[in-house]
């Protein structure tokens, strides 16, 4: 499939500006007229229209030109790989999904932003989604003290969705803990109007959806212990409690066949009113509020995910980070950073939300948006984004997720006990790590 090239030429501008006009940016970068045009590789997605609106605004405000090369999700990674590995990159900005970040960072394909502009730091308030904007090359993982590699452009994290009409009818309140979520689900299931909780336990998404359960129980899939060294801990006692909770919610208060429910089925059950609660990405909000696809417009709200036994909250990061390749000219790199810095400013992010995008800041509130009902998700989004985690912070994340998915899915459908599933997942994860050069230690089987 040929990519769609979207070029935004201005027929008019919002305001005139002389050649020397300068718009101040968050970290001292000047957005002057006369920046060279830049090209960005970006995915076809539900939020693309909102990003296009921001490009439109940028060009009007600065006179600078941004060209978007739009590619379906399935083909974007290969296009990025081909560009960043060439002698001369085709793209001045590449939009990288959270699952691909480790691969792109570890390959040293991107220019650290501090090299593009000395001393550059993300504007205060911009989220790092579990330090995934920064890379520690020596340790081979994300770290707050590592080099700043990119600017987030879409903050897709998980939230708890719940039907406010059903909650009000049964006198329920947003849960603070997993036990409270289960109690709400059981009460809804018993009442019989809707399924008490809709899981997302299909093999293609179960690892991502299980991650907040795991991390909120102060567990993890593995831990980086040194250069090319890892400790597989997915079969810890804490992880067992997390999977037991996950399976109980999926099987006792949800639809039949929970192991077959992927993201599309989950959203449909919420949108038709058949599902009362679910954990899903914030990007689903627009569909739930669309009268053409939803019967619950105005009846859904969002909340912070439940906390684990020690009060820990976690939300799976599913965001996008824009990076600047090393293999483009320095003047193109500076122009690219000028655009990304402009985009990350709070006033721009408020515009982004109004255009339908998911912000990349944690300091936007309902008040910033005029407390309009259409944006009632924003506080829950900001809270969950502050607790975003990357479950598999290494280059082979996709391979590791696929390896563990079968066992976790089998635990939900009853073909394995949770303990058996975690032991097998640990063995499969260790195999992926070892095949990719890691020295691995493991916990004893449960």
């Amino acid at each position: 499939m040929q990519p769609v090239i979207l070029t935004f030429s201005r027929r008019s501008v919002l305001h005139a500006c002389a050649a020397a006009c300068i718009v101040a940016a968050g970290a001292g970068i000047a957005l002057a007229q006369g920046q060279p045009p830049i090209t960005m590789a970006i995915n076809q997605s539900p939020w693309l229209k909102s990003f296009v609106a921001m490009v439109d605004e940028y060009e009007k405000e600065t006179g600078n030109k941004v060209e978007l090369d739009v590619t379906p999700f399935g083909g974007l990674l290969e296009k990025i790989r081909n560009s960043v590995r060439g002698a001369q990159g085709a793209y001045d900005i590449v939009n990288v999904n959270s699952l691909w970040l480790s691969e792109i960072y570890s390959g040293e394909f991107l220019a650290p932003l501090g090299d593009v502009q000395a001393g550059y730091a993300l504007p205060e308030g911009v989220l790092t989604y579990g330090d995934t904007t920064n890379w520690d090359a020596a340790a081979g993982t994300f770290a707050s003290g590592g080099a700043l590699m990119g600017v987030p452009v879409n903050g897709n994290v998980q939230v708890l969705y719940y039907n406010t009409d059903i909650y009000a009818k049964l006198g329920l309140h947003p849960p603070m803990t997993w036990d409270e979520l289960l109690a709400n689900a059981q009460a809804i299931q018993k009442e019989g109007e809707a399924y008490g909780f809709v899981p997302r336990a299909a093999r293609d998404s179960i690892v991502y959806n299980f991650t907040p359960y795991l991390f909120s129980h102060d567990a993890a899939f593995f831990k980086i212990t040194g250069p090319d060294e890892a400790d597989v801990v997915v079969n810890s006692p804490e992880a067992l409690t997390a999977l037991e909770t996950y399976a109980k919610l999926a099987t006792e208060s949800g639809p039949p066949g929970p192991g077959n429910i992927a993201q599309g089925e989950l959203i449909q059950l919420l949108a038709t009113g058949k599902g009362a609660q679910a954990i899903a990405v914030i990007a689903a909000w627009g569909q739930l509020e669309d009268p053409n696809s939803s019967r619950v417009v105005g009846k859904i709200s969002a909340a912070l995910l439940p906390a684990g036994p020690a009060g820990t909250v976690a939300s799976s990061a599913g965001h996008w980070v824009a990076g600047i390749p090393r293999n483009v000219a320095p003047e193109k790199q500076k122009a690219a950073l000028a655009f990304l810095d402009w985009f990350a400013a709070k006033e721009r992010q408020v515009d982004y939300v109004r255009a339908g995008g998911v912000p990349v800041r944690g300091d936007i509130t309902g008040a910033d948006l005029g407390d309009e009902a259409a944006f009632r998700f924003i506080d829950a989004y900001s809270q969950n984004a502050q607790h975003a985690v990357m479950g598999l912070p290494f280059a082979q994340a996709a391979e590791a997720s696929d390896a563990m998915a079968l066992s976790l899915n089998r635990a939900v459908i009853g073909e394995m006990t949770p303990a058996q599933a975690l032991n097998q997942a640990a063995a499969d994860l260790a195999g992926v790590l070892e095949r990719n050069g890691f020295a691995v230690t493991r916990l004893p089987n449960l």
Side-chain angles (χ1 to χ4, degrees), residues 92-403:
D92 308 304
I93 304 175
V94 290
N95 197 37
V96 185
N97 184 262
S98 57
L99 196 62
W100 313 333
L101 287 171
S102 296
E103 174 188 340
I104 301 301
Y105 289 174
S106 64
E108 299 184 348
F109 300 121
L110 302 183
L113 301 189
D115 292 349
V116 176
Q117 176 76 19
Y120 182 80
L122 290 177
E124 185 177 354
V126 174
L127 298 161
T128 65
Y129 303 96
D131 298 323
T132 56
T133 54
N134 296 69
W135 184 252
D136 184 333
T141 192
F142 306 112
S144 59
L148 177 62
M149 304 304 297
V151 177
V153 294
N154 189 273
N156 205 16
V157 298
Q158 295 168 311
V159 301
L160 174 66
Y161 289 100
Y162 63 95
N163 188 303
T164 55
D165 279 6
I166 295 174
Y167 261 48
K169 180 179 179 180
L170 299 179
L172 305 178
H173 302 282
M176 301 295 291
T177 67
W178 294 108
D179 286 343
E180 291 177 8
L181 175 60
L182 180 59
N184 284 357
Q186 290 170 338
I188 296 166
Q189 191 81 358
K190 182 178 179 181
E191 195 272 340
E193 180 177 339
Y195 296 120
F197 184 80
V198 182
R200 182 182 172 186
R203 283 178 58 184
D204 70 345
S205 49
I206 191 169
V207 173
Y208 176 77
N209 198 242
F210 175 59
T211 296
Y213 296 76
L214 184 71
F215 277 74
S216 67
H217 282 77
D218 298 304
F221 293 108
F222 74 99
K223 297 178 180 178
I224 297 291
T225 55
D228 297 325
E229 296 178 354
D231 186 12
V232 173
V233 294
V234 70
N235 59 329
S236 68
E238 294 81 6
L240 178 60
T241 301
L243 185 55
E244 289 171 342
T245 299
Y246 185 85
K248 193 170 186 178
L249 273 164
T251 58
E252 293 187 4
S253 303
N260 297 320
I261 299 174
Q263 179 168 269
E265 290 79 12
L266 181 153
I267 295 173
Q268 183 179 29
L269 286 165
L270 284 178
T272 57
K274 294 179 180 179
Q277 301 179 113
I279 291 171
V281 292
I282 195 63
W285 181 266
Q287 188 170 336
L288 296 173
E289 285 291 287
D290 182 355
N292 295 315
S293 60
S294 175
R295 297 178 183 175
V296 293
V297 175
K299 299 179 181 180
I300 295 291
S301 193
L304 183 66
L305 295 190
T312 303
V313 175
S315 176
S316 290
H319 57 292
W320 293 80
V321 176
I324 301 172
R326 289 182 181 273
N327 62 350
V328 298
E331 61 271 19
K332 293 277 193 171
Q333 292 179 342
K334 290 185 181 298
L337 184 54
F339 167 66
L340 294 176
D341 186 75
W342 174 93
F343 173 80
K346 185 174 182 179
E347 58 270 31
R348 312 293 181 245
Q349 289 293 297
V350 171
D351 291 343
Y352 191 38
V353 176
R354 289 190 173 279
V358 179
V360 297
R361 300 183 66 101
D363 56 356
I364 297 175
T365 67
D368 294 312
L369 294 156
D371 290 318
E372 295 178 33
F375 304 118
R376 62 189 182 279
F377 70 89
I378 197 67
D379 290 338
Y381 160 75
S382 296
Q383 293 168 12
N384 281 286
Q386 297 282 1
H387 298 282
V389 297
M390 281 290 290
L392 296 165
F394 77 126
Q396 292 76 32
E399 181 184 358
S401 179
D402 290 344

Side-chain angles (χ1 to χ4, degrees), residues 7-8 19 29-40 55 58-59 62-68 88 90-93 116 324 328-340:
T7 304
F8 302 93
I29 294 178
L31 298 179
Q33 286 191 333
Q35 291 276 16
I38 55 174
T39 301
M40 178 177 182
V55 170
Y58 176 71
E59 291 197 348
T62 68
N64 300 328
K65 181 179 178 182
V66 179
E67 184 177 273
L68 301 181
Q88 178 66 42
Y91 304 114
D92 308 304
I93 304 175
V116 176
I324 301 172
V328 298
E331 61 271 19
K332 293 277 193 171
Q333 292 179 342
K334 290 185 181 298
L337 184 54
F339 167 66
L340 294 176

